[in-house]
Amino acid sequence: MIEEAIAKKLDVKCFSSNPFRLADLGCSVGPNTFIAMQHIVEAVERKYLAQGLKSEMPEFQVFFNDHVANDFNTLFASLPTQRRYFACGVPGSFHGRLFPESSIHFMFSSHALHWLSKVPAELLDKNSPAWNRGRIHYTSGPEEVSHAYAAQFEHDMEIFLSARAKELVVGGMIVLLIPALPNGIPTSQSPFGVMFDLLGASLMDMAKEGLISEAEVDSFNLPIHVASPEQMTELVERNECLIIERMEFVDPRSNLFGLINGKECAMFLRAGLEGVFAQHFGSGIIDQLFDRLSKKIMESSHQLEPVGTILFVVLRRK
């Protein structure tokens, strides 16, 4: 799908600068980022050849971006030796500017934009109608909690899109892969929502057993928002500098063979969320927490049918 977007919508004739610069926003430590960047480089090379520009084939420079706490040493130590690009690290939050104006030709971000820049403050205010007592997400919370999450997501995305529009060259492209839900589907009907609720229930069980305190649970909220195509479309159109070239759902589970069991689901969540839980509750509870989650998922497997899952978005700079 990325190759098709590059072949049909990326006009490399309008790019005069060399090298061709790419950025992966939320790269983590590999190897997924290396696979994605190599595919994009090869697709751009094919586009130059298809447009009869073999003699103008540029060199490539890839910027790997993530938070300052990311393990860039591991990232650089595992860079492919046969890569066809020059590599740079760019530490810092993508909720703000990262690059000079009109300097990047292609941006990519996979499974990163659902993370909020911070937990909405009102979720921790005991006097606020959005106080999220006994829950760790907005899935089963009152309307005020959902509104607080949505408002924070919209604020973050406006900053993200504004920054990217300044950094992209005219005609440049952004490809995003974002956990999302179809318009009008509540989060409680999604596998994300169900698993977040089960994680919260596991924590509350542990609190009742005295392994952690309820106050610890009350003061913890996952900084994750699952958007809809309608919400994303509105935010992009509000920006006015970016055009939506493509937006559709893809289901990565369609490439898997057989059913995903509770243990595999728990491992999947642990890979992405362990650090957040360990920072708040301590690393000593992590094994037990995800063991409990695994069992709860098995008991609730009928609720985990995929709905929407991943939104594939292609944006182009006007």
Side-chain angles (χ1 to χ4, degrees):
M1 292 171 73
I2 295 172
E3 182 168 350
E4 184 179 338
I6 290 170
K8 292 183 177 180
K9 299 295 183 180
L10 189 68
D11 183 10
V12 297
K13 285 183 178 179
C14 71
F15 302 148
S16 57
S17 61
N18 190 357
F20 187 101
R21 299 184 183 92
L22 302 85
D24 186 355
L25 309 177
C27 64
S28 190
V29 297
N32 290 352
T33 184
F34 305 137
I35 297 168
M37 291 301 98
Q38 187 61 36
H39 284 165
I40 293 167
V41 166
E42 291 172 356
V44 173
E45 286 176 335
R46 283 191 286 271
K47 183 59 185 276
Y48 270 88
L49 293 175
Q51 291 195 257
L53 300 172
K54 183 177 181 179
S55 63
E56 299 178 35
M57 185 73 69
E59 294 184 301
F60 292 87
Q61 185 174 25
V62 174
F63 296 93
F64 295 97
N65 160 255
D66 214 311
H67 283 292
V68 294
N70 187 57
D71 187 354
F72 283 98
N73 285 336
T74 295
L75 177 80
F76 294 141
S78 53
L79 275 166
T81 55
Q82 301 300 314
R83 64 188 182 277
R84 299 212 291 273
Y85 55 81
F86 298 95
C88 300
V90 181
S93 170
F94 54 48
H95 294 117
R97 288 287 299 276
L98 292 166
F99 307 102
E101 191 169 333
S102 301
S103 61
I104 306 296
H105 301 86
F106 193 101
M107 294 180 174
F108 176 73
S109 185
S110 175
H111 296 73
L113 278 171
H114 57 296
W115 287 99
L116 302 178
S117 64
K118 64 178 183 178
V119 172
E122 52 266 51
L123 301 184
L124 305 177
D125 182 356
K126 294 181 180 180
N127 298 315
S128 167
W131 184 35
N132 205 22
R133 182 181 183 184
R135 291 177 296 269
I136 65 168
H137 196 241
Y138 64 86
T139 305
S140 299
E143 202 171 73
E144 291 85 356
V145 175
S146 296
H147 286 167
Y149 267 91
Q152 184 65 52
F153 177 78
E154 290 178 9
H155 173 77
D156 289 347
M157 279 301 301
E158 284 180 352
I159 293 173
F160 175 88
L161 293 171
S162 176
R164 304 297 80 82
K166 287 184 174 72
E167 295 161 351
L168 274 174
V169 301
V170 172
M173 182 174 285
I174 308 176
V175 171
L176 307 173
L177 292 171
I178 314 169
L181 280 174
N183 297 329
I185 299 295
T187 312
S188 58
Q189 292 183 20
S190 76
F192 305 114
V194 172
M195 287 191 283
F196 292 159
D197 267 357
L198 296 178
L199 263 172
S202 300
L203 285 168
M204 287 303 292
D205 288 347
M206 295 173 74
K208 289 170 185 173
E209 294 171 24
L211 300 172
I212 55 176
S213 70
E214 286 197 28
E216 285 181 286
V217 181
D218 293 342
S219 61
F220 177 80
N221 290 276
L222 278 171
I224 289 173
H225 177 79
V226 184
S228 68
E230 183 178 42
Q231 190 177 25
M232 286 298 300
T233 299
E234 182 182 335
L235 287 165
V236 174
E237 290 177 348
R238 206 183 293 173
N239 176 269
E240 297 185 346
C241 292
L242 298 166
I243 301 170
I244 299 173
E245 293 287 5
R246 185 172 181 178
M247 183 182 293
E248 65 183 83
F249 279 107
V250 293
D251 180 10
R253 298 197 344 177
S254 64
N255 294 321
L256 300 177
F257 296 96
L259 297 174
I260 302 175
N261 62 38
K263 184 177 180 182
E264 289 168 338
C265 278
M267 288 173 65
F268 169 77
L269 273 188
R270 181 171 180 169
L273 302 178
E274 177 176 351
V276 179
F277 283 95
Q279 185 176 17
H280 185 84
F281 296 99
S283 57
I285 73 154
I286 297 300
D287 287 342
Q288 186 174 165
L289 172 61
F290 285 95
D291 284 344
R292 289 172 182 251
L293 174 64
S294 175
K295 293 171 185 173
K296 286 186 180 291
I297 291 174
M298 291 300 290
E299 295 165 1
S300 307
S301 57
H302 63 286
Q303 301 179 54
L304 291 175
E305 291 301 314
V307 179
T309 66
I310 304 301
L311 191 64
F312 177 82
V313 183
V314 178
L315 308 176
R316 184 169 54 82
R317 178 68 166 88
K318 292 182 184 179

